Amino acid sequence: MTISNDSVLVDIDNRGVATVTLNNPEKHNAFDDEIIEQLTNIFKDISENDKVRVMVLAANGKSFCAGADLGWMKRMANYSYQENLHDANGLANMLKALNFIPQPTIAKIQGAAFGGAVGLASCCDIVIASAKASFSLSEVKFGLIPATISPYVVGAIGQKAARRYFQTAERFFAEKAEQLGLVDEVTSPDELDQSVDNMINTLLANGPIAMRQAKQLVFDIAYQKIDQPLITETSKRIAAIRISEEGQEGLSSFFEKRAPAWHTKNEGEE
């Protein structure tokens, strides 16, 4: 299934892989309030679609995303505080929708990712970048701050790195982004597609419900005190999934040395 509204393309293949593609290369895939609304709706639809097993966030053209569109920024300069607050809430809600998509998400970054685009990457579970990809938290160059993206970026790179890059607006490349924890894998430009496909296949081999629950587990357990209530809660979760239909199928297939029912064969695989 393919959905197109020019600026954002959505394709869902027969494996259940949804690819959301930013499609405004002439403007380096910069986003404005309309694109933010489109993305918010797309992310919510994917979250509610049980047929989607993996989502890839990609972009057409040389750049991944230049952050805020210059025309939108010019309009915002004349907005009142309340109008700016409304706009900021729109971006914040889009990032939240992306961050909490229950399915595994992959950001495929082929080029420059500036400003809000670093937020997009930080909201994805897995980030695979071309060696030519570059990043910048550029907001302070415009007398602004990376406020709405900050919870996700700080979560990805940590406080110490955020304190530097939030203030310097330095441009850094994929290898440094990997060192910071923003990027999970760096590949050559020619191998980017294959690297993303390899990760998709890795994810499709796993139980779809188990992956959703494992992702939610991270959100629920992170930074919690390891006390008896937490121990009890985690024990309940593993007990429940062991007796679930998917858990029983996973264990049975393992002991019977066969592929589980959810396994999607790759092209050429028998």
Side-chain angles (χ1 to χ4, degrees):
M1 178 178 69
T2 301
I3 303 169
S4 171
N5 57 14
D6 295 332
S7 297
V8 184
L9 308 177
V10 182
D11 177 78
I12 303 175
D13 68 18
N14 57 12
R15 301 172 299 170
V17 178
T19 302
V20 179
T21 305
L22 305 177
N23 186 45
N24 193 12
E26 295 80 9
K27 292 188 175 183
H28 299 278
N29 297 307
F31 51 72
D32 58 16
D33 49 351
E34 291 184 2
I35 293 174
I36 287 170
E37 184 177 3
Q38 291 169 10
L39 287 171
T40 302
N41 292 332
I42 288 167
F43 296 150
K44 288 180 177 179
D45 287 345
I46 287 171
S47 294
E48 296 169 0
N49 189 341
D50 291 336
K51 294 181 179 180
V52 173
R53 294 181 58 186
V54 178
M55 191 201 83
V56 178
L57 181 61
N60 286 329
K62 182 179 179 181
S63 301
F64 175 72
C65 176
D69 176 75
L70 293 178
W72 182 43
M73 290 178 66
K74 188 174 181 179
R75 295 201 314 273
M76 285 190 292
N78 296 315
Y79 282 2
S80 67
Y81 170 80
Q82 289 300 328
E83 289 171 325
N84 268 288
L85 183 60
H86 176 77
D87 251 20
N89 281 331
L91 177 57
N93 287 329
M94 182 268 282
L95 293 167
K96 180 181 178 182
L98 173 58
N99 191 69
F100 291 106
I101 287 175
Q103 301 95 325
T105 55
I106 303 170
K108 175 183 177 183
I109 301 183
Q110 84 285 12
F114 288 1
V118 180
L120 293 176
S122 299
C123 288
C124 290
D125 301 322
I126 300 163
V127 179
I128 300 176
S130 160
K132 290 186 176 181
S134 61
F135 304 84
S136 175
L137 290 150
S138 53
E139 286 84 354
V140 292
K141 286 189 174 184
F142 306 99
L144 305 174
I145 58 174
T148 51
I149 67 173
S150 61
Y152 312 104
V153 178
V154 173
I157 69 176
Q159 289 189 42
K160 184 62 176 69
R163 285 164 62 176
R164 171 175 174 167
Y165 291 101
F166 277 18
Q167 295 183 89
T168 63
E170 293 169 90
R171 184 176 184 179
F172 55 95
F173 290 84
E175 183 177 348
K176 183 64 177 181
E178 185 178 30
Q179 293 172 5
L180 294 173
L182 178 63
V183 167
D184 297 285
E185 183 179 335
V186 178
T187 184
S188 70
D190 292 341
E191 295 176 343
L192 180 60
D193 288 346
Q194 186 60 55
S195 294
V196 172
D197 286 343
N198 290 344
M199 183 57 67
I200 290 170
N201 291 330
T202 296
L203 293 166
L204 291 176
N206 302 330
I209 295 173
M211 285 194 296
R212 289 176 177 232
Q213 291 193 17
K215 182 172 181 175
Q216 188 61 47
L217 184 66
V218 177
F219 294 134
D220 293 343
I221 301 307
Y223 311 117
Q224 297 296 311
K225 180 181 179 181
I226 302 176
D227 55 14
Q228 192 55 50
L230 184 67
I231 291 169
T232 299
E233 174 60 24
T234 55
S235 297
K236 286 180 177 179
R237 293 193 190 198
I238 185 60
I241 202 164
R242 278 176 184 166
I243 64 171
S244 70
E245 182 179 348
E246 184 172 289
Q248 290 290 298
E249 169 62 13
L251 291 169
S252 296
S253 65
F254 175 76
F255 290 117
E256 295 168 10
K257 297 182 180 181
R258 59 174 175 81
W262 60 75
H263 179 71
T264 302
K265 290 185 179 180
N266 304 327
E267 188 175 347
E269 183 180 351
E270 297 182 357

